[in-house]
mmCIF file of all heavy atoms in Angstrom:
data_model
loop_
_atom_site.group_PDB
_atom_site.id
_atom_site.type_symbol
_atom_site.label_atom_id
_atom_site.label_comp_id
_atom_site.label_asym_id
_atom_site.label_seq_id
_atom_site.Cartn_x
_atom_site.Cartn_y
_atom_site.Cartn_z
ATOM 1 N N GLN A 852 130.247 216.982 243.658
ATOM 2 C CA GLN A 852 131.109 215.819 243.844
ATOM 3 C C GLN A 852 130.685 214.679 242.928
ATOM 4 O O GLN A 852 129.506 214.498 242.652
ATOM 5 C CB GLN A 852 131.058 215.330 245.286
ATOM 6 C CG GLN A 852 131.597 216.329 246.282
ATOM 7 C CD GLN A 852 131.422 215.836 247.705
ATOM 8 O OE1 GLN A 852 130.441 215.191 248.019
ATOM 9 N NE2 GLN A 852 132.385 216.151 248.545
ATOM 10 N N ILE A 853 131.655 213.917 242.461
ATOM 11 C CA ILE A 853 131.340 212.751 241.640
ATOM 12 C C ILE A 853 131.509 211.462 242.423
ATOM 13 O O ILE A 853 131.187 210.392 241.933
ATOM 14 C CB ILE A 853 132.186 212.713 240.350
ATOM 15 C CG1 ILE A 853 133.669 212.661 240.673
ATOM 16 C CG2 ILE A 853 131.842 213.889 239.457
ATOM 17 C CD1 ILE A 853 134.551 212.389 239.474
ATOM 18 N N GLN A 854 132.004 211.545 243.661
ATOM 19 C CA GLN A 854 132.099 210.372 244.523
ATOM 20 C C GLN A 854 131.771 210.813 245.940
ATOM 21 O O GLN A 854 132.200 211.864 246.398
ATOM 22 C CB GLN A 854 133.492 209.756 244.499
ATOM 23 C CG GLN A 854 133.615 208.562 245.424
ATOM 24 C CD GLN A 854 134.998 207.921 245.396
ATOM 25 O OE1 GLN A 854 135.887 208.374 244.692
ATOM 26 N NE2 GLN A 854 135.165 206.877 246.150
ATOM 27 N N LYS A 855 130.986 210.000 246.624
ATOM 28 C CA LYS A 855 130.630 210.304 248.012
ATOM 29 C C LYS A 855 130.884 209.054 248.838
ATOM 30 O O LYS A 855 130.326 208.001 248.561
ATOM 31 C CB LYS A 855 129.159 210.695 248.088
ATOM 32 C CG LYS A 855 128.738 211.275 249.384
ATOM 33 C CD LYS A 855 129.239 212.686 249.490
ATOM 34 C CE LYS A 855 128.495 213.482 250.514
ATOM 35 N NZ LYS A 855 128.984 214.835 250.590
ATOM 36 N N VAL A 856 131.749 209.154 249.827
ATOM 37 C CA VAL A 856 132.037 208.062 250.747
ATOM 38 C C VAL A 856 131.392 208.416 252.076
ATOM 39 O O VAL A 856 131.645 209.485 252.623
ATOM 40 C CB VAL A 856 133.555 207.851 250.917
ATOM 41 C CG1 VAL A 856 133.833 206.761 251.930
ATOM 42 C CG2 VAL A 856 134.185 207.512 249.569
ATOM 43 N N ILE A 857 130.554 207.521 252.583
ATOM 44 C CA ILE A 857 129.822 207.774 253.819
ATOM 45 C C ILE A 857 130.239 206.752 254.861
ATOM 46 O O ILE A 857 130.131 205.548 254.637
ATOM 47 C CB ILE A 857 128.306 207.690 253.567
ATOM 48 C CG1 ILE A 857 127.897 208.749 252.546
ATOM 49 C CG2 ILE A 857 127.530 207.843 254.871
ATOM 50 C CD1 ILE A 857 126.532 208.568 251.967
ATOM 51 N N GLU A 858 130.737 207.227 255.969
ATOM 52 C CA GLU A 858 131.103 206.343 257.073
ATOM 53 C C GLU A 858 129.879 206.204 257.981
ATOM 54 O O GLU A 858 129.530 207.126 258.714
ATOM 55 C CB GLU A 858 132.284 206.908 257.842
ATOM 56 C CG GLU A 858 133.553 206.961 257.012
ATOM 57 C CD GLU A 858 134.734 207.470 257.826
ATOM 58 O OE1 GLU A 858 134.792 207.211 259.037
ATOM 59 O OE2 GLU A 858 135.576 208.131 257.211
ATOM 60 N N LEU A 859 129.237 205.043 257.923
ATOM 61 C CA LEU A 859 127.987 204.849 258.651
ATOM 62 C C LEU A 859 128.150 205.006 260.160
ATOM 63 O O LEU A 859 127.244 205.499 260.831
ATOM 64 C CB LEU A 859 127.401 203.476 258.334
ATOM 65 C CG LEU A 859 126.949 203.275 256.889
ATOM 66 C CD1 LEU A 859 126.440 201.862 256.692
ATOM 67 C CD2 LEU A 859 125.894 204.280 256.506
ATOM 68 N N ASN A 860 129.276 204.579 260.697
ATOM 69 C CA ASN A 860 129.468 204.676 262.148
ATOM 70 C C ASN A 860 129.640 206.107 262.633
ATOM 71 O O ASN A 860 129.567 206.363 263.829
ATOM 72 C CB ASN A 860 130.665 203.824 262.587
ATOM 73 C CG ASN A 860 130.359 202.358 262.492
ATOM 74 O OD1 ASN A 860 129.228 201.927 262.713
ATOM 75 N ND2 ASN A 860 131.351 201.565 262.148
ATOM 76 N N ASN A 861 129.872 207.038 261.718
ATOM 77 C CA ASN A 861 130.026 208.449 262.077
ATOM 78 C C ASN A 861 128.970 209.307 261.395
ATOM 79 O O ASN A 861 129.235 210.442 261.034
ATOM 80 C CB ASN A 861 131.430 208.941 261.698
ATOM 81 C CG ASN A 861 132.504 208.243 262.486
ATOM 82 O OD1 ASN A 861 132.364 208.037 263.686
ATOM 83 N ND2 ASN A 861 133.571 207.846 261.819
ATOM 84 N N SER A 862 127.778 208.753 261.209
ATOM 85 C CA SER A 862 126.713 209.465 260.508
ATOM 86 C C SER A 862 125.667 209.988 261.478
ATOM 87 O O SER A 862 125.305 209.316 262.444
ATOM 88 C CB SER A 862 126.032 208.531 259.502
ATOM 89 O OG SER A 862 126.932 208.160 258.501
ATOM 90 N N TYR A 863 125.196 211.199 261.187
ATOM 91 C CA TYR A 863 124.184 211.829 262.021
ATOM 92 C C TYR A 863 123.004 212.264 261.171
ATOM 93 O O TYR A 863 123.158 212.710 260.040
ATOM 94 C CB TYR A 863 124.777 213.042 262.751
ATOM 95 C CG TYR A 863 125.773 212.632 263.801
ATOM 96 C CD1 TYR A 863 127.106 212.416 263.475
ATOM 97 C CD2 TYR A 863 125.359 212.419 265.106
ATOM 98 C CE1 TYR A 863 128.009 212.010 264.438
ATOM 99 C CE2 TYR A 863 126.256 212.012 266.074
ATOM 100 C CZ TYR A 863 127.582 211.803 265.728
ATOM 101 O OH TYR A 863 128.462 211.391 266.680
ATOM 102 N N LYS A 864 121.821 212.128 261.743
ATOM 103 C CA LYS A 864 120.604 212.543 261.066
ATOM 104 C C LYS A 864 120.450 214.060 261.186
ATOM 105 O O LYS A 864 121.062 214.680 262.059
ATOM 106 C CB LYS A 864 119.392 211.842 261.676
ATOM 107 C CG LYS A 864 119.451 210.339 261.544
ATOM 108 C CD LYS A 864 118.179 209.679 261.981
ATOM 109 C CE LYS A 864 118.133 209.493 263.470
ATOM 110 N NZ LYS A 864 116.959 208.712 263.892
ATOM 111 N N ASP A 865 119.646 214.611 260.297
ATOM 112 C CA ASP A 865 119.339 216.033 260.371
ATOM 113 C C ASP A 865 118.731 216.297 261.739
ATOM 114 O O ASP A 865 117.786 215.640 262.141
ATOM 115 C CB ASP A 865 118.354 216.396 259.251
ATOM 116 C CG ASP A 865 118.232 217.884 259.061
ATOM 117 O OD1 ASP A 865 119.209 218.595 259.340
ATOM 118 O OD2 ASP A 865 117.154 218.322 258.628
ATOM 119 N N GLY A 866 119.294 217.214 262.477
ATOM 120 C CA GLY A 866 118.844 217.471 263.835
ATOM 121 C C GLY A 866 119.858 217.004 264.865
ATOM 122 O O GLY A 866 119.727 217.276 266.040
ATOM 123 N N GLY A 867 120.889 216.256 264.426
ATOM 124 C CA GLY A 867 121.987 215.903 265.299
ATOM 125 C C GLY A 867 121.958 214.541 265.956
ATOM 126 O O GLY A 867 122.906 214.165 266.621
ATOM 127 N N ASN A 868 120.888 213.769 265.795
ATOM 128 C CA ASN A 868 120.854 212.431 266.382
ATOM 129 C C ASN A 868 121.701 211.473 265.559
ATOM 130 O O ASN A 868 121.714 211.534 264.332
ATOM 131 C CB ASN A 868 119.422 211.898 266.469
ATOM 132 C CG ASN A 868 118.587 212.686 267.451
ATOM 133 O OD1 ASN A 868 119.092 213.169 268.450
ATOM 134 N ND2 ASN A 868 117.305 212.830 267.151
ATOM 135 N N LYS A 869 122.381 210.559 266.232
ATOM 136 C CA LYS A 869 123.248 209.589 265.561
ATOM 137 C C LYS A 869 122.411 208.579 264.785
ATOM 138 O O LYS A 869 121.405 208.093 265.269
ATOM 139 C CB LYS A 869 124.121 208.883 266.589
ATOM 140 C CG LYS A 869 125.234 208.069 265.974
ATOM 141 C CD LYS A 869 126.314 207.805 267.012
ATOM 142 C CE LYS A 869 127.427 206.945 266.494
ATOM 143 N NZ LYS A 869 128.159 207.470 265.392
ATOM 144 N N LEU A 870 122.831 208.276 263.563
ATOM 145 C CA LEU A 870 122.198 207.255 262.736
ATOM 146 C C LEU A 870 122.565 205.887 263.285
ATOM 147 O O LEU A 870 123.713 205.645 263.660
ATOM 148 C CB LEU A 870 122.698 207.376 261.287
ATOM 149 C CG LEU A 870 122.145 206.365 260.288
ATOM 150 C CD1 LEU A 870 120.716 206.748 259.912
ATOM 151 C CD2 LEU A 870 123.018 206.324 259.054
ATOM 152 N N ASP A 871 121.602 204.966 263.344
ATOM 153 C CA ASP A 871 121.866 203.602 263.798
ATOM 154 C C ASP A 871 122.201 202.752 262.576
ATOM 155 O O ASP A 871 121.312 202.333 261.840
ATOM 156 C CB ASP A 871 120.651 203.038 264.519
ATOM 157 C CG ASP A 871 120.878 201.637 265.054
ATOM 158 O OD1 ASP A 871 121.952 201.051 264.801
ATOM 159 O OD2 ASP A 871 119.969 201.120 265.731
ATOM 160 N N PRO A 872 123.489 202.480 262.294
ATOM 161 C CA PRO A 872 123.866 201.763 261.079
ATOM 162 C C PRO A 872 123.430 200.298 261.059
ATOM 163 O O PRO A 872 123.452 199.665 260.025
ATOM 164 C CB PRO A 872 125.394 201.879 261.048
ATOM 165 C CG PRO A 872 125.786 202.120 262.450
ATOM 166 C CD PRO A 872 124.649 202.859 263.093
ATOM 167 N N SER A 873 122.989 199.761 262.202
ATOM 168 C CA SER A 873 122.536 198.371 262.216
ATOM 169 C C SER A 873 121.090 198.243 261.751
ATOM 170 O O SER A 873 120.593 197.125 261.590
ATOM 171 C CB SER A 873 122.681 197.778 263.622
ATOM 172 O OG SER A 873 121.763 198.386 264.516
ATOM 173 N N HIS A 874 120.405 199.356 261.538
ATOM 174 C CA HIS A 874 119.002 199.327 261.120
ATOM 175 C C HIS A 874 118.749 200.310 259.975
ATOM 176 O O HIS A 874 117.999 201.270 260.132
ATOM 177 C CB HIS A 874 118.091 199.678 262.294
ATOM 178 C CG HIS A 874 118.063 198.656 263.354
ATOM 179 N ND1 HIS A 874 118.953 198.639 264.398
ATOM 180 C CD2 HIS A 874 117.272 197.575 263.513
ATOM 181 C CE1 HIS A 874 118.691 197.614 265.178
ATOM 182 N NE2 HIS A 874 117.685 196.944 264.663
ATOM 183 N N ILE A 875 119.375 200.101 258.847
ATOM 184 C CA ILE A 875 119.114 200.945 257.682
ATOM 185 C C ILE A 875 117.931 200.332 256.938
ATOM 186 O O ILE A 875 118.011 199.230 256.415
ATOM 187 C CB ILE A 875 120.348 201.033 256.748
ATOM 188 C CG1 ILE A 875 121.563 201.567 257.497
ATOM 189 C CG2 ILE A 875 120.027 201.887 255.518
ATOM 190 C CD1 ILE A 875 121.430 202.979 257.992
ATOM 191 N N TYR A 876 116.814 201.048 256.931
ATOM 192 C CA TYR A 876 115.601 200.551 256.284
ATOM 193 C C TYR A 876 115.444 201.090 254.863
ATOM 194 O O TYR A 876 114.957 200.400 253.986
ATOM 195 C CB TYR A 876 114.356 200.932 257.091
ATOM 196 C CG TYR A 876 114.229 200.169 258.379
ATOM 197 C CD1 TYR A 876 114.676 200.704 259.575
ATOM 198 C CD2 TYR A 876 113.666 198.901 258.397
ATOM 199 C CE1 TYR A 876 114.558 200.008 260.760
ATOM 200 C CE2 TYR A 876 113.542 198.188 259.569
ATOM 201 C CZ TYR A 876 113.989 198.745 260.751
ATOM 202 O OH TYR A 876 113.881 198.052 261.914
ATOM 203 N N ILE A 877 115.824 202.334 254.665
ATOM 204 C CA ILE A 877 115.631 202.971 253.360
ATOM 205 C C ILE A 877 116.907 203.723 252.999
ATOM 206 O O ILE A 877 117.478 204.422 253.833
ATOM 207 C CB ILE A 877 114.456 203.971 253.389
ATOM 208 C CG1 ILE A 877 113.157 203.279 253.833
ATOM 209 C CG2 ILE A 877 114.273 204.622 252.010
ATOM 210 C CD1 ILE A 877 112.037 204.258 254.156
ATOM 211 N N ALA A 878 117.349 203.560 251.769
ATOM 212 C CA ALA A 878 118.470 204.324 251.230
ATOM 213 C C ALA A 878 118.036 204.808 249.852
ATOM 214 O O ALA A 878 117.516 204.028 249.062
ATOM 215 C CB ALA A 878 119.724 203.467 251.118
ATOM 216 N N GLY A 879 118.205 206.084 249.584
ATOM 217 C CA GLY A 879 117.769 206.569 248.290
ATOM 218 C C GLY A 879 118.286 207.942 247.956
ATOM 219 O O GLY A 879 118.887 208.628 248.783
#
């Protein structure tokens, strides 16, 4: 893909736990 759109409110971590979009500490 040359474009990736990520909806933070519908994001899950590896293992199935929901990502907390109000506390993003690292993006890379």
Side-chain angles (χ1 to χ4, degrees):
Q852 296 176 324
I853 60 170
Q854 178 179 1
K855 191 75 161 181
V856 177
I857 299 166
E858 295 183 33
L859 294 178
N860 289 326
N861 295 318
S862 295
Y863 291 86
K864 299 188 277 186
D865 193 29
N868 293 327
K869 191 161 177 61
L870 179 76
D871 182 356
S873 68
H874 292 88
I875 302 296
Y876 289 96
I877 303 168

